[in-house]
Amino acid sequence: MKSEHMILGIALTNNFGAHPAAWRMPHVDPGSYTNIDVTVEYARMAERGGLQFVFIADRLFLHGDLAASHPLFNMDPIVTLAAVAQATERIGLVATASTSFTEPYLLARQLKALDVISHGRVGWNAVPSFEPDAFANFGKEVPPRENKYERLHEAMQVVQALWGSWGYEAGQPDQQGMFADPAHVKPVNLHGTHVGARGPLPVPPSEQGQPVIVMPASSGYGLQAAGMYANVVIGMPSSIEEGRTLRDTVRQAAAQAGRDPEEIKFLAFAGFTIGDTEHDALDSRRALDAWTDIRGPLSRLSAYLGLQQQFTRPDEPLTPAQLASVRAHPHDVRSARAVALAKAGWSPRDVLAHAVFDPYPSVVGTAEQVADHLQEWFEADAADGFMLNFDDFSTGIGGFVDHVVPVLRERGIFPDRYEGSTLRDHFGLPPQYGITTRIARTAG
Ligand SMILES: Cc1cc2nc3c(=O)[nH]c(=O)nc-3n(C[C@H](O)[C@H](O)[C@H](O)COP(=O)(O)O)c2cc1C
């Protein structure tokens, strides 16, 4: 049965925000890219609001045009979260690490050590890499998809087996007896086509046993893998209908892998710029957009509105003649939203400032509008929770915690406080340790 409370986490992928111009805002320190105190401050803010986790994506190459913006991804997710772990107490810490390069022994050790030092608050976003730039950094070319996922399956199985290699039964250090019972700290001896490990891993169970496994909803291969291994799946549906379908697909993938679909949570991406009024929020977004070249988005908008012309007056509402000929593309929620905003009298620049072309559904508006979006999706079974993206962290995270969280609590759809201490508790997941017999059978 679905929980009555939604799960909320923040994508803290760099220290500025999801908008590429956030670093240029006068109230932002442009040196934040390398400042761990800033990451810690945002994680603590999120913890103050009782949010279940912070999340760091990763791409394994220098991603971004440095002339225009900072590197889009964090210097190193695991190292960063090790520092955040020491400065926080309850919030979950989800690190992305690719299955395509690092040997499972190292992946297993780093993630479980982080889980132990954070007292059971770690999640692993296990992704196969996909960009040639990432493979080039390991002297490789992108392999065929089947090989990429074959390696992912092997890596997931070896990592989980290693996590379980120091059994609970090994006990606690006994100064008069054994430090740990070696009979319960055993090798795993797994060898596949791509990776393998002997084990055991020198890391005992954490408070939640082992890290929670998060995986993205990607191609059929990715969904099948998520059905087998993931505790939590993240995706970017663009509408409630798409969210519902994706959540159902993920649940079916879990059922096909012999699991109870209730044990897999689906989180949808959502983006926000929050203001005291919708106009304030739009002003903030416009200040960010002012640093980007909007000629491309304006042409795209014209096409999305079904118009054959360029906008010569982007700050004026559409003319009656233009309004008479706008048409939404059928089945395209972005186009439908753009048409609705243009018809409501917003200028092309303002339609863009409503974030119609963000890669996930975004709200530029008040705390109530943000809460409405989350509630509507949650109650429609389009998601069990959300990966929150803020245009500008320096205003967005505090704004969400102080103004949106109280509304969600008042509506009874977000917990008043942390009910448990581990990330597994925050997600409402059952205990899990080591490679399950279900997966071990698959691994043969
Ligand atoms: C919501 C979401 C989050 C993702 N996060 C990352 C990430 O942090 N790092 C990464 O290298 N790939 C990330 N990916 C990409 C996937 O791992 C995958 O490589 C990509 O979707 C292509 O998958 P395919 O080969 O199955 O089509 C993400 C994908 C989705 C849908």
Side-chain angles (χ1 to χ4, degrees):
M1 211 186 64
K2 201 172 106 186
S3 164
E4 70 195 58
H5 290 150
M6 62 175 69
I7 297 159
L8 297 175
I10 295 186
L12 261 194
T13 293
N14 58 60
N15 277 346
F16 298 105
H19 197 290
W23 73 280
R24 294 185 188 270
M25 294 299 101
H27 54 268
V28 172
D29 173 3
S32 298
Y33 173 60
T34 52
N35 189 346
I36 187 67
D37 294 340
V38 174
T39 323
V40 163
E41 184 193 335
Y42 292 149
R44 279 189 170 157
M45 262 184 210
E47 188 170 64
R48 178 161 60 77
L51 269 58
Q52 285 90 341
F53 68 97
V54 291
F55 170 90
I56 300 190
D58 193 30
R59 295 305 256 277
L60 290 167
F61 61 95
L62 174 52
H63 195 300
D65 168 10
L66 294 185
S69 193
H70 46 86
L72 294 184
F73 292 84
N74 186 278
M75 288 190 293
D76 184 290
I78 294 181
V79 172
T80 300
L81 290 179
V84 174
Q86 287 300 87
T88 51
E89 287 175 8
R90 304 296 281 271
I91 193 158
L93 312 166
V94 182
T96 299
S98 173
T99 56
S100 299
F101 310 110
T102 311
E103 292 295 322
Y105 184 87
L106 289 176
L107 278 175
R109 187 173 70 159
Q110 286 192 314
L111 289 159
K112 198 175 180 207
L114 185 59
D115 200 30
V116 168
I117 66 172
S118 67
H119 300 287
R121 292 189 283 136
V122 166
W124 173 28
N125 180 34
V127 296
S129 295
F130 65 107
E131 288 127 317
D133 286 339
F135 283 87
N137 278 338
F138 296 84
K140 294 181 177 173
E141 289 182 2
V142 179
R145 200 180 253 148
E146 303 84 73
N147 293 9
K148 194 174 83 166
Y149 278 100
E150 194 176 59
R151 183 182 164 119
L152 175 137
H153 281 280
E154 289 182 10
M156 297 307 297
Q157 290 164 17
V158 177
V159 165
Q160 290 195 75
L162 286 167
W163 282 345
S165 63
W166 185 308
Y168 280 103
E169 302 83 353
Q172 297 299 318
D174 171 3
Q175 288 183 310
Q176 308 309 316
M178 291 190 284
F179 184 81
D181 183 350
H184 296 285
V185 183
K186 295 193 200 131
V188 300
N189 290 320
L190 281 174
H191 294 280
T193 311
H194 303 269
V195 292
R198 187 192 63 185
L201 202 68
V203 191
S206 74
E207 274 87 336
Q208 64 171 356
Q210 66 189 31
V212 166
I213 295 176
V214 180
M215 293 178 90
S218 49
S219 62
Y221 287 102
L223 283 166
Q224 188 213 4
M228 288 175 70
Y229 311 110
N231 305 119
V232 177
V233 174
I234 54 177
M236 290 195 192
S238 54
S239 66
I240 287 185
E241 288 66 36
E242 260 184 54
R244 215 187 265 137
T245 306
L246 199 47
R247 180 171 178 268
D248 280 348
T249 307
V250 164
R251 289 164 64 85
Q252 276 162 23
Q256 263 159 23
R259 299 168 65 192
D260 177 354
E262 298 304 326
E263 292 179 12
I264 195 159
K265 309 291 173 191
F266 176 68
L267 309 183
F269 275 60
F272 305 104
T273 296
I274 307 167
D276 289 341
T277 64
E278 192 175 340
H279 280 275
D280 284 346
L282 281 170
D283 284 346
S284 303
R285 176 72 185 215
R286 270 192 301 255
L288 292 163
D289 287 348
W291 283 97
T292 59
D293 184 353
I294 69 157
R295 282 172 298 183
L298 278 176
S299 309
R300 194 171 161 205
L301 178 62
S302 166
Y304 268 65
L305 293 173
L307 297 173
Q308 310 296 324
Q309 55 194 232
Q310 295 304 315
F311 293 112
T312 48
R313 293 178 307 149
D315 293 305
E316 299 293 318
L318 271 62
T319 62
Q322 285 173 324
L323 283 173
S325 39
V326 295
R327 298 275 176 280
H329 292 260
H331 314 302
D332 187 323
V333 284
R334 288 200 178 106
S335 175
R337 187 158 169 241
V339 166
L341 289 164
K343 284 191 170 164
W346 295 101
S347 69
R349 195 186 297 277
D350 283 339
V351 174
L352 292 177
H354 278 87
V356 282
F357 292 144
D358 280 9
Y360 32 72
S362 291
V363 178
V364 179
T366 63
E368 276 73 23
Q369 286 173 306
V370 171
D372 289 348
H373 173 92
L374 298 172
Q375 182 169 15
E376 201 187 346
W377 278 59
F378 181 65
E379 290 182 347
D381 287 342
D384 298 294
F386 301 90
M387 180 76 81
L388 309 173
N389 292 267
F390 297 104
D391 277 344
D392 174 355
F393 292 153
S394 68
T395 52
I397 300 176
F400 188 89
V401 164
D402 293 331
H403 302 293
V404 181
V405 167
V407 178
L408 297 173
R409 283 184 172 148
E410 225 171 77
R411 296 182 188 180
I413 50 177
F414 191 68
D416 287 335
R417 66 192 70 80
Y418 290 111
E419 280 150 19
S421 64
T422 67
L423 183 58
R424 206 169 288 280
D425 293 335
H426 302 341
F427 280 129
L429 294 168
Q432 181 181 345
Y433 196 61
I435 193 162
T436 59
T437 44
R438 175 180 55 81
I439 299 292
R441 268 200 306 277
T442 319

